[in-house]
Amino acid sequence: MNLIIQQISKNFGNVCFQILDETNSQVGAINVTAKDLQLNTITSVSAYGRGLTLHWMPGIKAFFDNPYRRLTLRPFGMYSISGDLGEGRVFRRFVKRNFLIRYFQQTMVLNNGLYKVYSASFGKQGSKSAVYRNDVRIANIYKGYKVIDDVHSFTLEILDTNYILDSLAILAHLYLTVYHSVNQTTKGVQVSDITTKDEYILERVR
């Protein structure tokens, strides 16, 4: 099944997305509430009657209050998660595959699962992020290469309907850490023509 996550409003860091199913009916929402500019945000994610809340964690707190040191000693963009799936964290971590190849990976620990995201860009074909839970792919996130007036949209392909809310939490964190900004008065067209060359990442995303 596919869900469309479409931004419908923005106001100095406060952002609202509606979540539409394949019949174009609204089944949920993502609401970003920015406090003290973009650094301090609270984000609610809801779908099909269930919900989660993501709370931004300052870098110092994320460093010292880090129960996932086996995964990373220096998490970036960490948010705590609470709600209908229990408590957890979502963050970015630095992955070193070998001496030369390193990359940042979006990671989440929630709902008795370890979630890893592999993202690749394909120029004018846009980008694709593959979401894995315990090494099994559960969803794909698609985004076009063009953004108009800083208004964003995503397509979420659900491969396992048991993990819809989990996948939406990943998508919300992707938006928060890559695309969200306070300066939302931006007008015009922004394009990204980056193409991923790393065969390991491409193999995980295809």
Side-chain angles (χ1 to χ4, degrees):
M1 68 178 291
N2 289 340
L3 298 176
I4 302 298
I5 293 81
Q6 177 66 55
Q7 184 176 340
I8 57 174
S9 70
K10 60 178 182 175
N11 182 25
F12 295 103
N14 299 308
V15 179
C16 180
F17 289 85
Q18 62 180 357
I19 302 171
L20 305 175
D21 67 9
E22 292 168 330
T23 68
N24 210 37
S25 299
Q26 184 170 350
V27 297
I30 297 174
N31 289 288
V32 179
T33 303
K35 298 181 178 181
D36 303 326
L37 300 180
Q38 69 183 31
L39 294 179
N40 188 2
T41 62
I42 299 174
T43 301
S44 63
V45 181
S46 62
Y48 298 103
R50 299 194 302 167
L52 293 173
T53 303
L54 283 65
H55 292 262
W56 174 76
M57 296 182 66
I60 295 297
K61 179 176 175 58
F63 178 78
F64 287 104
D65 181 14
N66 177 15
Y68 308 113
R69 293 182 180 274
R70 64 184 176 84
L71 296 173
T72 182
L73 295 177
R74 297 181 179 178
F76 299 89
M78 180 176 276
Y79 286 73
S80 64
I81 305 175
S82 59
D84 288 334
L85 297 180
E87 296 187 352
R89 302 278 178 91
V90 58
F91 50 90
R92 289 186 175 274
R93 63 189 179 116
F94 195 56
V95 177
K96 182 178 179 181
R97 285 219 336 268
N98 56 45
F99 180 73
L100 295 176
I101 301 177
R102 308 175 184 190
Y103 61 95
F104 284 104
Q105 182 175 67
Q106 194 180 359
T107 306
M108 183 170 76
V109 181
L110 182 68
N111 195 17
N112 297 316
L114 173 61
Y115 302 74
K116 299 177 183 179
V117 183
Y118 299 86
S119 298
S121 296
F122 301 95
K124 291 186 177 181
Q125 296 180 37
S127 64
K128 178 181 179 182
S129 298
V131 182
Y132 288 80
R133 181 183 188 274
N134 298 338
D135 294 324
V136 176
R137 193 185 303 204
I138 61 169
N140 295 310
I141 300 170
Y142 298 91
K143 194 174 194 310
Y145 84 106
K146 184 184 298 184
V147 176
I148 300 174
D149 296 341
D150 198 21
V151 174
H152 299 267
S153 65
F154 304 83
T155 298
L156 177 62
E157 180 186 15
I158 301 293
L159 304 178
D160 188 331
T161 55
N162 291 310
Y163 303 108
I164 294 174
L165 193 57
D166 318 50
S167 301
L168 286 167
I170 288 282
L171 188 150
H173 184 256
L174 175 66
Y175 169 75
L176 289 167
T177 54
V178 177
Y179 303 106
H180 180 249
S181 68
V182 168
N183 183 23
Q184 292 171 333
T185 58
T186 302
K187 296 292 184 181
V189 178
Q190 297 172 299
V191 299
S192 173
D193 58 359
I194 297 173
T195 300
T196 300
K197 301 294 186 181
D198 188 326
E199 285 298 327
Y200 173 79
I201 297 294
L202 291 173
E203 181 179 346
R204 300 291 284 176
V205 168
R206 289 192 182 106

